[in-house]
Structure formats: structure tokens, C-alpha cells
Amino acid sequence: MTIEVFSGATTPLSAAATLIGTPTEDKGSPIQEASIFNKPASHIIELLASRSTTSSAVYIYDVAEQVGFGTLTKTWSSAMESTAPVISLQTRAGAGLSLVGRLSEGSSQDCVKGAVLTAYTTPAGLAAMVESLSYLPPATSNSRLIIQVPAVTTVGSSFALSPTLASLSATFAILPDNLVVLLSATPQESIDLAALSYKLTSSHVVHIFDHHGISRESGHKFVPTLQLKETPALGVQELIRWSGYQFFDYVGDSNAETVVVLLNGPLALMAKSIATRTSGLGVVVVRVLRPWDGDVFKQCLPDTVKEVHVFDDVPNEVCQGSLFVDVFGSLYGPNSQGPLVRAHRVTPTKTLSFLSDPAQFSTLLAELSYQAPAVTHLDASSTKKLLFFSTPKSALSPLPQTVANSFASTVSARLLTDHDIFSKSGGVTADKIVLSPRSEDTEILPMAAAFPSGAADFICVLDTNLLKSHSLLNKAKSGAIVLVISPWSSELPYNLPAAVLSSAVEKKLRVFTLDAKAISSGFEAELGLDAVQRLVVYLAVLRLYLGKAASEPAIRKLAEGVAREMALGGQLGKISASSWAALEEVELHIPPAVAEGDAKPPSPLKEFEFNAIAVETADGQTVVNGSKVSSWHDAAKHLLFPSVFTPPTPPSEEVEEYVQDPSLRPEVAEHTYLVTCTVNRRLTPLDYDRNVFHLEFDTAGTGLKYAIGEALGVHGWNDEQEVLDFCKWYGADPERLITIPVAANEGKMYTHTTFQALQQQIDLFGRPPKSFYAELAAYATSPADKLALQFIGAPEGSSTFKKLGEKDTVTFAEVLQRYPSARPGIETLCEMIGDIKPRHYSIASAQSAVGDRVDLLVVTVEWTAPNGTPHYGQCTRYLAGLKVGQKVTVSIKPSVMKLPPDNMQPIIMAGLGTGAAPFRAFLQHRALLAQQGIPVGPTYYYFGSRHRHQEYLYGEEMEAYILDGTITKAGLAFSRDGPKKVYIQHLMLEDAAVLASLLKNQAGVFYLCGPTWPVPDVYEALVGALVKNEGHTPESAGEFLMSLKEEERYVLEVY
């Protein structure tokens, strides 16, 4: 069959992404010159703002994360050492006081180091902070506040997202004088002004940028060069000019009689585009709102101006915006009367209306300038617009990014992804792609103007069911191409609502179908169903886009860059041929039953409404409107009922019965419990060189509940004598009361004695990070100490720092002793060091079997430094010294170690040393089930240690489980007992046939817990078992194990 469709503006010659999955966030270096391409501007703003070289700390308000700004910063804070400390805050009455307090009453540490604070919030959040900001102290080069504001706000009963700044209409007028307000619209401008925010060293700064659309788009290429320049010492206006920008931009007729004034943002970009095409019209865009410079504003107006129309974002028609007041005050004085100034109040609803229907905004500006309406979108002959509809997390959802990447090497390819979480359970995703010739002077318009409704050249519906529920084809222009991924071909008209068919016929749409799943099923075993489906649809998109220029060999050649692995395997040709043959054009007609009105009245079709922003983190998590959710439908619940999902107090009766005592470790963010030690028993002989011991804690009355396989976080104390010795050496009175911040509760302080703080809270004997040396240098009075500390804390001192940390294993206390002239005050020292972090140990008991008890299996950690100083693991030393009856603060942490949902699924457990802990819990639970008459599947247990008589941990229990059949088969490897070392992987090879069958044919689950070193050998043993007994190749066996990992059936917990 010959298919002739429109010929695209360009041909994709290469692809920067594969079909394997969606792109992930870079975890590498901070921004460097031209290395940043194709990332959304908002991601780069986050990266720039969150660097420790830029900010002392980043405060992320909940409202910012709810619109997708701040999630990445939190991810980076745990993955990148160069990220500043991150503090999460809620937006409520008095929001911002913690920031003001930090700048107003900084500790001695802040005074020396400086406190350049960054906050993320939304326009609504900034409005809530304004009263607090009036108390900001004067900004200095080392003490100031920068607020990054992504401009997107939820409006109306439908929770639609809008770029309106209506919530700030009253705020702008009462902001303090020492605060600069910058507004940006384009991606390059947003990044530049974000960088400039940190160069205005004599002012606090608010930077507002468009997060509704442009800053979230990928495909814009820019180079963040501004932060690479050496900043001169200039005032605000001079520094703005130095950066290449102005307070105000004037665009349009140099002799205009009508001038429109807007704040920089999406509508301003549209207005500038219209002004370049409309005679007699000029547009002034306000980039720097505060400080307002009336003289500069007047200078940018043409002498011919007669009318000035001020567009103000306001919450309702009766409010007066602050921009009008600024403009009116600049043009009218006691001795002069300027042009006529008129106010145009733009409500949130009107903002959305202008964006969704650019012709309406164009008509309004034309009427104000007494001209005919101008064209508001890019020339249709030079651009192509592609629209994809899908459901989130579907196998085909990464396809639009792949398509956009394919074109990016030759043309400008903008991609914007929006989500609707209310109109359909599970959500709907719309991906818009605009392709246009690449040019330096191409104007950038909001996606709404570049891609207005009803202008799509190509629509791809990746889920047929969406055509039944949503009005999608009204987004297409007349004669557009529609590709529907569906098993239906000629049956399609009979399965769609009459309204959809009528729209398609009326617009003369050409509709094609492709059964991607059926084609992919033939390749699933070799390549994976999801990847093949994406490739099949990608090939069809290319064919329809290229039209007459398409041929099967040409399409296959173009796809090699996107499916390189498949091409090397010789399968691309077969997949391409199958896709080519299966693509069918559907003859559109209205079925008779529908035409005669015999069918039951259909449900009205829904419109897609943009109301959710999703962020994909590097660890594979999807965060929707600021919430990590198990399903996309949950995101709607989070948005509708936020108080339910972030309650001020635990809602369940069980938790309320055991409310946490606020005085119990107040510096700890986790919910903690106070348990009592009832057993502390050494398991290895006294003369053995390893102290492995068993602990039991009584949890009765605490409310502590834990699942099988979870970990217990122990909030240990430092050694009493070592703390007293340090206090004596440092000259600190152990009984003196000190007050230090509670890190887990912003704005709270906690008072206790120096001894209590150093023993129970401060990580005095932990390993210092590189930043500690740099901070400590500021307190050194000896030039030699200062230079040494500065060197270690600088990039040049990396090798010295590495030696100190990895070889010498120095602690905070030892660093202070090495450089004795550096002695900050004890409160400051506590803040510099930070708190002891809980150490987590796999729980060695099943609560179903032991009741109000939790058991641990622990080995003490001790070593000798090169200088002969003995060192001990802080928490294992604490636990080893516990007395019966002693209270311990603990918390619970989830783990990957979980029993399978079906008790009949076989489990294979491999534990080395204390890695046996979670498996003891597994066995306790399965033994209990057997006692209750509940059948369980095969249970294989492999355990390894050095000597049977010294280190067969829980040996008596294991032997009992073997005898009663709880353990189906045990493989015990004691590597030092025989003439030849035997490890667990050797015993697994002996059982290769049965292990392979359990995993391949019986949905078995494999677990490994213990040190990292045996992982490769165990992996090879399993691969070998599958190759020998289940017909796998080494490659396919490895892929099979990786698939088990995705299914949580190949579980590793190693350390």
C-alpha cells in the first residue's frame, strides 16, 4: 500500500537518546560553559542556585515543590557533595521569619563564613512571606537572601495551572526597599537572571521566571555564560546593563501612539511578537520591577505616545495592580501631564484565556492601537507541530522525547510535557513538539502561541481509550495526520464516539492505525516488549512525517541512531519491515447505527486540562505536584486533599496512642521510640578476634511496629570518657548550658549541657567532610594552621583530604587537636559538626513471631590508624556496651528485603556473617506459618563465615529449622575450616539445576545480604546455572536476572 502524507520540514539525521527509557538527571559536575544543552531551564536554575559555592543553604517551601521546583535539589543534596544544605519548610502564617532570623541573628559561624540563603517558593508563597520580608536586615556581600520564584499557580475549580502573578498584585507595593525584583521570560534570560541574582551583592533579590511553560521545555540550546564572568563592583542598574539586559525593553513602532506595558513573562513575549507586526503599537516589557526607575521608564517611551495601557495581573476586576501605580506615578507629576494611562486588569481566568486563544489577545492589542489583528503564531509553512497523547508510565510514554531528540540535530525541536490528573483515573499526558528552522534571531513565544489549539499537523494517540473519553481531534488542523496505536483498523470507526468521527470527517483528517503490541510480541523474548513497541511506533511516526520522501530502507537507516543495539543484532530490519507492512489507513465513515441514532446517548467528551507537573528524579522516582505517589491517580488526591496527605498529627488511633515525646531526641527528624535492652549476648568466643553479639529490645508500650526485613535505626551516643577527655582538652565546661538549633525543626532551639550535647547529639567522633576544614580555617589564629586548613578545604587539597579521611580516618575531634589554634565557640562548633546520624541494622526478628520485641545481630567495628591510634565504630561500640535495662532511642527504616507476596513462592537466601539477620526473620515467619498449617514454598538457606565453631551465627536455631523442614536445603560454607576455601557460590553451583528451576519456572526470589565482595561470584553462579539448565546464553541469563531485579525477585542488600 502506498501512503502519501505531508512532507516534514526536515529529516532526523541522528538521535541523542535511545528507546530504552526516559532521560535522567545529570549527577555530575555543576554547570560548565557550553556543556549544558537540551535541559529545561528550570533544571539549570535549580542546579545553579543549589551549589554550595552559590548558596549557604537552600530553603524549599512546599508550594514550590508542588509545582515541580525543588525536587531535583533535594535529590542532588544526597548525591552531590557540591550541593548546599537543603531545608524543607511549609508555607503558613509567618512564612519567611526563619530566613529573616537566620540573617538577622547569625551565629559566629555565619558571621565569618557568610549566609547567602536561597529560598524556593511560588507567587502565592511569596505573598505569604511579604510581611516577614519587611524585617530583612540590610544585605551585604556575605549575608543576603535570594528567592527563586517559578511563576505557576493553581487557579479555578478545575485546578488549572496558570502563569498569573495575581497573588502578588498587592505584594509588589509593600516589598522592602532593599529587595530587587527581576522577571524573566525566555530560557536564556531565566538562566542569566538567576545567575545575576547572586551577583547583586548589595541587595536581596526575588527572581520570577515562567515555569508554566518555557522554563520546563526541553530543546532550547543555551550557554549559561553569565556566572563565568568576573563581576565588577557596580550598582544595580549598572550591573543589569553589564549583564546585557535593561530595566525595560521597548519593542515596536518607534513612532507609536499606543504603548502597552506588561511585566516580563509569557504575555509579554506574545505582545512583543504582535508589536513587531503592528504599525502604531509599542510594547514596554518590565524586567526589573524593584527598584522602580521612573526616569528610565519615561526615556524608553517614544515621544509620539498618546496612550499607555498597563496590563496588571490581579485576582479580580475590582483590584488595582501595583504596575499601574508605578507607571502612573512616573508619567504624571505636579508640573507635567503625560499621556493618557489606562489600566487593564488581567485576572487569572483571562490570563489562561489569552494563552489558550492567542487570537483573542492579538485582537485586543490591535483594537487598542486601532489596527487590524496580527498573526500571533509562527508561520505555518516553516513550522511543524506534533502532538502526542498518552497515559503516564505507559510503555510508550518516553516516545515523544525520542522523537524530539531525533530532530534536534538539524532543527529547533521544542518539547513541552503537560499532565491532567483529574479527567481520567491514572492521568493523561500531552506532549507538544514544535519543529522550526534553527536561526539565531528566531523569536521565542510561549508554547500556547507557537502551538495554538487546533493547529497540530500530526497527532499520535498512544492509548486508544483516550479517544473514547477525551476530545483530542479538535487539536488537529484540517487535513492533519492522526496515528492511533490500536489493534483495530477497519473496526476503529465502530469503536469511537460519534462526536470523534464527525470531527475527523469534518476536518478531513487522515487516520492511520498500528498494532504495535502485536508486532512487538514476536520480538519480546530477544529485545523486550516495551523497547520494541517504542521502536515500532517511532518508525511509523517517521514514515508519516516524511510522507512522499519516505521509503522503508530510508526509514530503517534513520532509525539506526535510535536503536543501535537492535541494528547490531540484525533485528532492526525485521522490525522495520513489520512496522511498514502493519501501518494501515482507515477509511472514515459514520457507522449506520450511530448515523440513525440507534445507539445510546454517549457520554460527553472531556477536554484536556493542564493541572499537574511531574519530575523524574535520577533514582527513577516520579514526583507529581510535589508528592511521591504510588499511582498517578493518587496525585489528584494529594492536590485535592493536601491536609489528608500531610496531616499535622498522625491520624490513626494506633499512632495517636503513642504520640512521640518531643523531648526525646528533638534534633531527630524521624519518628523515634524509646525501647529497653533486655538481652546483650556475645555469640562468638571471647578469644575470637571478632565480637558478634545478639541484642533484644522490649518494645511494649512504645507503639513500635516493623515489617519483616525492615531496618532498625539506632541513635547511638558517643563514649562518655572520650567526651569528658575532649571537654577537658578543649577547655569546655561539660556542665555549662548551651543552646543550639534543632535541625529537624526549623526555628526551634534546644538547650542542654555541653556534655549532653557532645555525648548524645553531636557527631564529634565522626569523619569530617571537606567543607569542615574550610570553615574551621576562619577560626585559626596560627597562620600555619589557617593555611593548612584552607589548603585541605580547597580543590588543590583533595589528595590530602582523601588521605586524612580514608587512610588516617581522622575524626572531627582529631582535626581540632591537629590544628589547636582553631577553636570556635562550643555552640558554633556543634553547628559546624552536625548531628550523629542513626546507624541502620537489619532486624533479625519477625514481629509476628516474637511480639513486642525487636532483635539485632551486630559485629563491632574497630581498627588501628597508621599512627597506632585505636578507632571504634561509634554505634557498634555504643551497642556493645549496653546494659540490660538501658533505654535506647530507635527508629524504623524500610528495606528492599521483603518476603514475596505469595507464601508458596520459593525463596533462596544467601547471607554472609551478620548478613544472616534478615533471614532469621524470614525463617521465624515461615516457621510460624507452618505451625499454623499454612503451606509455604521451598526455602533455601546459604550461609558463609570463616569458622563453624566460632561463627555459625544462630547455628542451633538453623539446625532446628533444618530438622523440622522450615529450611528445605541449607548450604553452609565455612571458608577457613578445610584445606580448601569454600564459599557460598561454590555450594550454589552444586544446587545449580534446582536453583535455576526455582527462579525460572516457579517465580522464586533470590536474596543476598552481607559484604559487597561476593556479588560478582554469586551473580556468575546464577548465570551459569541458568545457562547450563534452562537453555540461556550468558547474555540472556544476565538480562533475565536484571528483569528479576525489576520485579524485586533478585534482591541485594550489600555494604
Side-chain angles (χ1 to χ4, degrees), residues 339-360:
L340 181 64
V341 181
R342 297 184 183 277
H344 295 264
R345 298 179 175 91
V346 183
T347 62
T349 302
K350 193 175 289 186
T351 299
L352 284 178
S353 179
F354 285 156
L355 287 172
S356 61
D357 184 8
Q360 180 185 354

Side-chain angles (χ1 to χ4, degrees), residues 288-633:
V288 182
L289 181 63
R290 294 289 181 272
W292 177 265
D293 195 321
D295 293 334
V296 174
F297 173 76
K298 285 193 294 184
Q299 292 170 11
C300 74
L301 296 176
D303 296 335
T304 53
V305 63
K306 294 181 179 179
E307 294 183 7
V308 175
H309 298 267
V310 182
F311 282 65
D312 252 319
D313 283 359
V314 293
N316 54 63
E317 295 282 359
V318 299
C319 290
Q320 181 62 66
S322 62
L323 182 59
F324 173 82
V325 175
D326 291 329
V327 172
F328 188 88
S330 300
L331 299 180
Y332 280 78
N335 302 319
S336 64
Q337 184 174 356
L340 181 64
V341 181
R342 297 184 183 277
H344 295 264
R345 298 179 175 91
V346 183
T347 62
T349 302
K350 193 175 289 186
T351 299
L352 284 178
S353 179
F354 285 156
L355 287 172
S356 61
D357 184 8
Q360 180 185 354
F361 187 59
S362 177
T363 300
L364 174 60
L365 296 193
E367 290 174 354
L368 296 179
S369 58
Y370 311 103
Q371 301 291 327
V375 179
T376 59
H377 56 82
L378 299 175
D379 183 12
S381 64
S382 63
T383 66
K384 294 298 179 184
K385 305 168 188 68
L386 289 69
L387 180 57
F388 294 78
F389 286 105
S390 62
T391 53
K393 291 297 183 183
S394 75
L396 295 174
S397 59
L399 179 67
Q401 183 71 65
T402 303
V403 172
N405 289 345
S406 299
F407 289 95
S409 63
T410 54
V411 297
S412 170
R414 298 170 57 183
L415 169 64
L416 179 64
T417 302
D418 295 334
H419 301 283
D420 181 347
I421 57 175
F422 290 115
S423 64
K424 180 182 183 299
S425 178
V428 183
T429 299
D431 292 279
K432 298 178 181 178
I433 299 176
V434 174
L435 304 175
S436 60
R438 186 174 294 154
S439 173
E440 295 295 331
D441 56 356
T442 299
E443 62 183 353
I444 298 178
L445 294 175
M447 186 63 82
F451 199 148
S453 181
D457 297 290
F458 174 87
I459 291 181
C460 184
V461 182
L462 300 173
D463 184 339
T464 317
N465 293 324
L466 294 177
L467 286 172
K468 297 181 180 181
S469 59
H470 287 71
S471 180
L472 305 183
L473 300 189
N474 63 347
K475 312 296 183 186
K477 72 177 185 181
S478 296
I481 303 299
V482 178
L483 173 61
V484 181
I485 308 305
S486 169
W488 300 320
S489 53
S490 58
E491 307 95 332
L492 184 65
Y494 296 91
N495 289 279
L496 296 180
V500 174
L501 292 172
S502 299
S503 176
V505 171
E506 181 183 346
K507 291 194 169 190
K508 299 180 180 179
L509 303 180
R510 296 189 64 187
V511 179
F512 297 81
T513 63
L514 182 71
D515 190 352
K517 194 168 185 179
I519 298 171
S520 306
S521 61
F523 301 90
E524 178 180 359
E526 301 174 46
L527 303 173
L529 179 62
D530 292 350
V532 178
Q533 279 195 74
R534 288 197 284 271
L535 179 59
V536 167
V537 180
Y538 175 74
L539 291 165
V541 171
L542 286 185
R543 182 182 178 188
L544 295 176
Y545 179 80
L546 294 177
K548 295 179 180 180
S551 66
E552 198 271 331
I555 295 297
R556 184 172 67 250
K557 182 67 176 176
L558 293 173
E560 287 180 357
V562 180
R564 190 167 291 108
E565 293 181 6
M566 299 179 189
L568 292 175
Q571 298 298 318
L572 178 59
K574 296 178 182 179
I575 296 172
S576 177
S578 300
S579 176
W580 187 274
L583 185 63
E584 295 187 33
E585 184 168 7
V586 178
E587 183 180 346
L588 293 180
H589 62 277
I590 300 178
V594 178
E596 296 168 9
D598 296 337
K600 62 181 181 180
S603 301
L605 296 175
K606 302 172 184 176
E607 293 292 335
F608 178 90
E609 188 91 70
F610 170 38
N611 50 43
I613 295 174
V615 178
E616 298 285 343
T617 63
D619 57 4
Q621 298 241 3
T622 300
V623 180
V624 186
N625 286 353
S627 302
K628 294 179 181 177
V629 293
S630 57
S631 73
W632 276 73
H633 191 59

Side-chain angles (χ1 to χ4, degrees), residues 890-951:
V890 299
S891 55
I892 295 295
K893 180 184 179 183
S895 169
V896 294
M897 286 288 178
K898 303 173 184 176
L899 277 172
D902 184 353
N903 293 327
M904 291 303 296
Q905 284 181 259
I907 61 173
I908 306 162
M909 303 169 288
L912 284 87
T914 54
F919 303 137
R920 180 175 184 254
F922 284 15
L923 292 167
Q924 284 182 348
H925 182 71
R926 285 212 158 183
L928 178 65
L929 293 178
Q931 291 173 10
Q932 296 171 346
I934 301 172
V936 296
T939 303
Y940 279 66
Y941 177 65
Y942 295 91
F943 173 76
S945 66
R946 293 186 296 180
H947 300 285
R948 182 185 188 100
H949 293 294
Q950 286 88 356
E951 257 185 296

Side-chain angles (χ1 to χ4, degrees), residues 137-141 143-145 178 200-204:
T140 66
S141 59
S143 179
R144 60 191 191 280
L145 172 65
N178 62 348
L200 295 168
T201 56
S202 60
S203 306
H204 304 295

